[in-house]
Amino acid sequence: MINEVDLAGVGVGPFNLSIAALADEIPELHTRFFERRERFAWHPGLMFRGSRMQTSFLKDLVTAVSPTNRHSFVNYLVEHGRFHAFLAAEGAAVERREFADYLGWVAGRLRSLRFADEVRELRSFAGGFEIIHASGRTRARHVVLGTGRVPAVPECARARLGPRCFHAIDILARGLDLRGARVAVVGGGQTGAEVMLEVLRGTWGEVTELSWVSRRPNFEPLDESPFTNHLFTPGFVSVFHELASEHREHLLARHKLAGDGISASTLHELHDRFYEAAITRAGPRVELLPARELVGVDARGAGFELGVHNHLDDQHERVDADYVILCTGLREQLPPCIEPLFAELELDERGRPQVERSFELRRRRRDGERAYIVNGARTTHGIAESQLSLMAWRSAVILNDVLGRRRFAVERERDLVRWRARPSASTKSDSCVD
Ligand SMILES: Cc1cc2nc3c(=O)[nH]c(=O)nc-3n(C[C@H](O)[C@H](O)[C@H](O)COP(=O)(O)OP(=O)(O)OC[C@H]3O[C@@H](n4cnc5c(N)ncnc54)[C@H](O)[C@@H]3O)c2cc1C
């Protein structure tokens, strides 16, 4: 049996879930979202007890564009009888486990989602797409790819991947036993910091040595200052999209710590632990190694010898470890199921897909059908692309485009910062909005 829908989604992480939650307000729009997992889960392999969100709970699935939508975080609190308790707790940031529970609660209320239904192939035809998934075939006028990012593993570590050298993405599912081991954590972002904390807490047993290797010049904080937060606004994304690609590359590098730094609370907790260990001389021998680039991972008996290059004094160093935990981030990758579309995609000089302002993948030929992508356009839309901050706004932009009308008022927000040059005719203006 072939089903027909207006919009089909591949993957149900938070980003496509947001589109599904907003589409729930539009009964005339027929949608279906396919997820390979048996049930909704948000990065379960990294869901450490007590780890907190790096973004406000107001940056939920819907609120930014539809505050009365029943799938908001505030409604989740009210329906669970925790509204006043939540306020009383005055938590600076929501626990990730609570936000994951909220996302799962929304997923459980949406009839458009199909779990345990992996998309295996996606083909285009004039005016639509055919989706071959685990439970059958579906035809859709438009599709939205929301399969997330994949682990980034340094080239020099790839040949060593195995039970003792692995990417952290599924660390909690591994049943690790690190008792008595020498452990090297590679990567100086939030995940690296959280894994360090877990090792120090003895989550996987007491280790004897713990090294933290980071390419960054220091263990650096997330920049959450007010003007940096304006990089996560629709206005900035729209300006960014219009820039020349080399200018965008330069800005992406400059903006790194706005989206990819360590939360201040995590840094403080880690520093307290290192300092306490220095006083008490208890616990594992800890070595903090910033400004080091991992350049080699050689097998030594059951363990490894890591080669690191010290960018500070330009020296080569060696770190010995029984376990190597790679906290080296995630990278964008088009899902293999869309291989039949690859030849149609317009790519930039580095082979990356070109994405329209409306999040549509630019294709050489199309006949009204559109393929959108979420979390796959950092190079064209900026650092906000892989964060929750503009998730609801982006979902609304996509849904407006699918509907061909302004269902959500996505341009309502007025920029406080004037990003673009002031139009020459009007030197005075009471608004910064172009
Ligand atoms: C540990 C962690 C914490 C984070 N915390 C924050 C935060 O506090 N604030 C913030 O702004 N951002 C945060 N992020 C960044 C970002 O918000 C998340 O990575 C978010 O999960 C991205 O959502 P997504 O829907 O793009 O991808 P994912 O959550 O990765 O979901 C993609 C889904 O697609 C499914 N899938 C893949 N291929 C197929 C297929 N062929 N068929 C069917 N299904 C498929 C996968 O099973 C998966 O469920 C965090 C990231 C991590 C890793």
Side-chain angles (χ1 to χ4, degrees), residues 13-15 35-37 42-43 54-55 119 148 375 386-388:
F15 293 174
E35 166 57 46
R36 66 181 170 202
R37 290 186 204 271
W42 187 40
H43 294 308
Q54 289 194 314
T55 35
V119 173
N375 205 356
S386 53
Q387 305 279 318
L388 300 170

Side-chain angles (χ1 to χ4, degrees), residues 277-329:
I279 298 168
T280 59
R281 295 185 198 88
R285 192 171 78 85
V286 176
E287 218 175 12
L288 303 174
L289 305 168
R292 266 57 164 215
E293 177 117 27
L294 184 71
V295 291
V297 183
D298 293 326
R300 284 286 173 269
F304 305 94
E305 179 186 314
L306 276 60
V308 295
H309 184 80
N310 186 328
H311 286 300
L312 200 62
D313 57 11
D314 208 23
Q315 298 291 309
H316 191 79
E317 293 167 288
R318 168 183 159 170
V319 177
D320 294 311
D322 303 310
Y323 285 84
V324 181
I325 306 176
L326 300 166
C327 305
T328 39

Side-chain angles (χ1 to χ4, degrees), residues 9-17 34-37 39-43 46-47 52-56 59 96 117-120 146-149 169 190-191 194 330 335-337 374-375 385-389 391 394:
V10 184
V12 182
F15 293 174
N16 262 352
L17 184 62
F34 301 99
E35 166 57 46
R36 66 181 170 202
R37 290 186 204 271
R39 63 189 68 84
F40 182 85
W42 187 40
H43 294 308
L46 284 169
M47 197 53 75
R52 293 192 175 268
M53 299 288 296
Q54 289 194 314
T55 35
S56 159
K59 294 174 172 180
R96 276 217 304 269
D117 210 350
E118 181 172 25
V119 173
R120 298 190 175 141
T147 50
R149 302 201 295 164
I169 191 79
Q190 180 67 18
T191 299
E194 288 184 10
L330 302 174
C337 63
V374 290
N375 205 356
E385 186 52 17
S386 53
Q387 305 279 318
L388 300 170
S389 298
M391 161 173 75
R394 177 181 54 204

Side-chain angles (χ1 to χ4, degrees), residues 88-229:
E90 282 189 350
V94 174
E95 258 207 48
R96 276 217 304 269
R97 284 188 306 174
E98 183 173 26
F99 202 74
D101 191 58
Y102 152 66
L103 297 172
W105 172 74
V106 174
R109 307 164 93 206
L110 291 171
R111 292 172 53 194
S112 56
L113 312 184
R114 299 289 179 275
F115 287 93
D117 210 350
E118 181 172 25
V119 173
R120 298 190 175 141
E121 203 171 297
L122 191 138
R123 298 181 172 279
S124 64
F125 58 86
F129 295 91
E130 181 162 58
I131 298 142
I132 299 160
H133 46 97
S135 73
R137 286 166 188 259
T138 296
R139 282 193 174 169
R141 174 78 166 141
H142 308 294
V143 291
V144 54
L145 308 174
T147 50
R149 302 201 295 164
V150 298
V153 174
E155 176 72 45
C156 63
R158 278 187 206 147
R160 306 284 167 233
L161 287 178
R164 285 171 169 255
C165 174
F166 52 85
H167 192 279
I169 191 79
D170 59 352
I171 192 165
L172 286 174
R174 286 181 168 264
L176 278 182
D177 180 359
L178 299 181
R179 275 175 298 177
R182 298 166 302 165
V183 175
V185 173
V186 180
Q190 180 67 18
T191 299
E194 288 184 10
V195 167
M196 282 293 292
L197 264 180
E198 289 306 305
V199 176
L200 288 166
R201 284 174 185 149
T203 301
W204 301 288
E206 295 299 318
V207 306
T208 52
E209 288 179 27
L210 178 58
S211 311
W212 191 11
V213 176
S214 172
R215 184 166 55 181
R216 304 176 195 213
N218 201 345
F219 300 107
E220 295 174 316
L222 183 72
D223 180 353
E224 298 181 277
S225 55
F227 291 102
T228 296
N229 287 341

